[in-house]
Amino acid sequence: MVQAGVGVAIAASGSAAPIAALTNDQLSTIVETSDEWIQTRTGIRSRRLAQSEDTLSSLAAAAGTAAIAAAGLSADDIDLILLATSTPDDLFGSAVQVQAQIGATRAVAFDLTAACSGFVFGLVTAAQFVRTGTYRRVLLIGADVLSRWVDWSDRGTCILFGDGAGAVVLQATDGRDRLLGFELRSDGQLNHTLKLAFQGTPQPLTAGVTATAGRYQPIIMNGREVYRFAVAKVPEVISKALFRADLATSDIDWLLLHQANQRILDAVADRLGVPREQTLSNLADYGNTSAASIPLALDAAVRRGQVQPGDKIVAAGFGAGLTWGAAVFEWGVVET
Ligand code: ACO
């Protein structure tokens, strides 16, 4: 039964990352680069890499379990699991594997693909199910293991990416809606600037009929173009989401951007007039973890006590597609 008028709270978080780390110095034994170049151009010092025992679904399940515990719930309470990922263990979807691993037997589970925007797109999607009264408790996970798809001989991309998972629990409230505003965008004309694409060749089957045989190719990216795109478009989409929330930049406690490059984070903060100390960043230790980066940085800030219930956060994701989007929300369950 659909109940209109239900509000949504973004109530609790959790995260998980592989233990194995790869430092810039170690990377410079693989490709021609240096710790100094990588730190100056990106802000990254190290990144975590999934080993063979760290599957996408095991990382996502660990993050999800932590978020459910932080919400004071059990896996049985979850109605929907939404897994934002571009690197599933199984192309048919990994959300169901997560469902089985965490024991959320009642939950329906499916994947959502929007690359580095996946968490923000997922947050908005999850909120719609809650607002309509269809589901009351949603586990949203952003998780990626891009290290599986990196060309380790391409210094323009292999220095950037790391692996991880982050999760939040969204809950229905009878009171105020804590998702205050959002704006999502896509532009397939720019698809060529960042791809992890299937490439195949025709395989004759019978007279006049072929199938296509091939495989996904490693990540290719035009870094400069993506950089320019991010610095131009992210402030714009954040301003639009704030406008929809009827808030000014000065009302925001935290700017939580997709962790792609510290220079992008700083440039976007400067354009919006947000002081650096209100910009959350975990780039130095994790690199770009794609759909995981926003909830991973959020969870660390929550666990440090930096982000407090009631704080207003603007989160923005951007990446392959190209896709980009922003969501303004109030953190935690605060009854007023
Ligand atoms: N070490 C040393 N030198 C390097 C390296 C490296 N790792 N990588 C590139 N260089 C060299 C280049 O060859 C070039 O040399 P040249 O001038 O002799 O030709 C020089 O450094 C400058 O190269 P640029 O590509 O202009 O370097 P830039 O300052 O743009 O930094 C970077 C590159 C870090 C990739 C940057 O462009 C960037 O962060 N772009 C955005 C990426 C991004 O945000 N992606 C987001 C989405 S990810 C997703 O959706 C999955």
Side-chain angles (χ1 to χ4, degrees), residues 116-295:
C116 300
S117 309
F119 182 79
V120 171
F121 279 42
L123 187 69
V124 171
T125 305
Q128 308 313 309
F129 281 110
V130 176
R131 283 174 168 174
T132 56
T134 311
Y135 299 123
R136 290 191 67 81
R137 293 174 180 130
V138 182
L139 176 63
L140 167 66
I141 309 170
D144 266 310
V145 284
L146 279 180
S147 67
R148 288 177 179 171
W149 296 103
V150 160
D151 174 353
W152 289 102
S153 66
D154 175 10
R155 68 178 183 173
T157 52
C158 75
I159 57 149
L160 294 174
F161 300 109
D163 304 329
V168 293
V169 172
L170 287 88
Q171 285 186 257
T173 71
D174 298 329
R176 251 171 345 100
D177 197 323
R178 274 57 177 258
L179 177 60
L180 306 172
F182 67 85
E183 181 76 12
L184 307 179
R185 299 281 174 87
S186 306
D187 185 356
Q189 302 281 353
L190 296 172
N191 184 252
H192 61 279
T193 58
L194 182 48
K195 286 173 84 90
L196 199 179
F198 178 82
Q199 225 174 60
T201 49
Q203 191 182 26
L205 290 180
T206 185
V209 184
T210 63
T212 306
R215 51 187 301 189
Y216 287 88
Q217 303 299 307
I219 296 166
I220 52 159
M221 179 177 74
N222 183 328
R224 284 182 204 183
E225 264 195 64
V226 177
Y227 189 100
R228 271 199 296 270
F229 149 81
V231 172
K233 298 293 186 184
V234 174
E236 204 176 280
V237 85
I238 287 175
S239 299
K240 196 74 186 232
L242 286 170
F243 174 77
R244 293 196 190 288
D246 201 16
L247 292 173
T249 314
S250 54
D251 297 320
I252 293 302
D253 296 295
W254 302 106
L255 180 61
L256 176 54
L257 300 178
H258 166 50
Q259 308 283 299
N261 181 324
Q262 190 61 44
R263 282 159 55 213
I264 296 179
L265 268 58
D266 293 344
V268 171
D270 289 348
R271 283 200 182 191
L272 291 166
V274 175
R276 297 277 166 88
E277 59 274 16
Q278 283 175 244
T279 304
L280 298 173
S281 173
N282 67 358
L283 257 170
D285 299 321
Y286 292 93
N288 176 345
T289 56
S290 191
S293 86
I294 291 175

Side-chain angles (χ1 to χ4, degrees), residues 6-209:
V6 180
V8 60
I10 297 98
S13 62
S15 61
I19 292 164
L22 181 71
T23 64
N24 291 347
D25 284 333
Q26 288 170 310
L27 252 177
S28 51
T29 66
I30 305 167
V31 287
E32 201 183 325
T33 190
S34 65
D35 177 49
E36 200 266 331
W37 193 96
I38 300 172
Q39 284 213 44
T40 316
R41 298 288 181 121
T42 70
I44 301 167
R45 284 195 305 248
S46 181
R47 69 285 293 141
R48 304 290 187 86
L49 293 196
Q51 306 299 288
S52 52
E53 65 275 16
D54 304 314
T55 59
L56 184 281
S57 50
S58 69
L59 288 169
T65 300
I68 292 168
L73 299 174
S74 75
D76 266 350
D77 296 320
I78 301 299
D79 303 311
L80 168 67
I81 298 171
L82 205 49
L83 174 62
T85 188
S86 304
T87 53
D89 295 326
D90 182 332
L91 268 186
F92 288 146
S94 283
V96 282
Q97 292 167 301
V98 174
Q99 183 233 31
Q101 286 175 37
I102 69 176
T105 45
R106 287 182 47 253
V108 64
F110 63 91
D111 291 21
L112 180 152
T113 306
C116 300
S117 309
F119 182 79
V120 171
F121 279 42
L123 187 69
V124 171
T125 305
Q128 308 313 309
F129 281 110
V130 176
R131 283 174 168 174
T132 56
T134 311
Y135 299 123
R136 290 191 67 81
R137 293 174 180 130
V138 182
L139 176 63
L140 167 66
I141 309 170
D144 266 310
V145 284
L146 279 180
S147 67
R148 288 177 179 171
W149 296 103
V150 160
D151 174 353
W152 289 102
S153 66
D154 175 10
R155 68 178 183 173
T157 52
C158 75
I159 57 149
L160 294 174
F161 300 109
D163 304 329
V168 293
V169 172
L170 287 88
Q171 285 186 257
T173 71
D174 298 329
R176 251 171 345 100
D177 197 323
R178 274 57 177 258
L179 177 60
L180 306 172
F182 67 85
E183 181 76 12
L184 307 179
R185 299 281 174 87
S186 306
D187 185 356
Q189 302 281 353
L190 296 172
N191 184 252
H192 61 279
T193 58
L194 182 48
K195 286 173 84 90
L196 199 179
F198 178 82
Q199 225 174 60
T201 49
Q203 191 182 26
L205 290 180
T206 185
V209 184

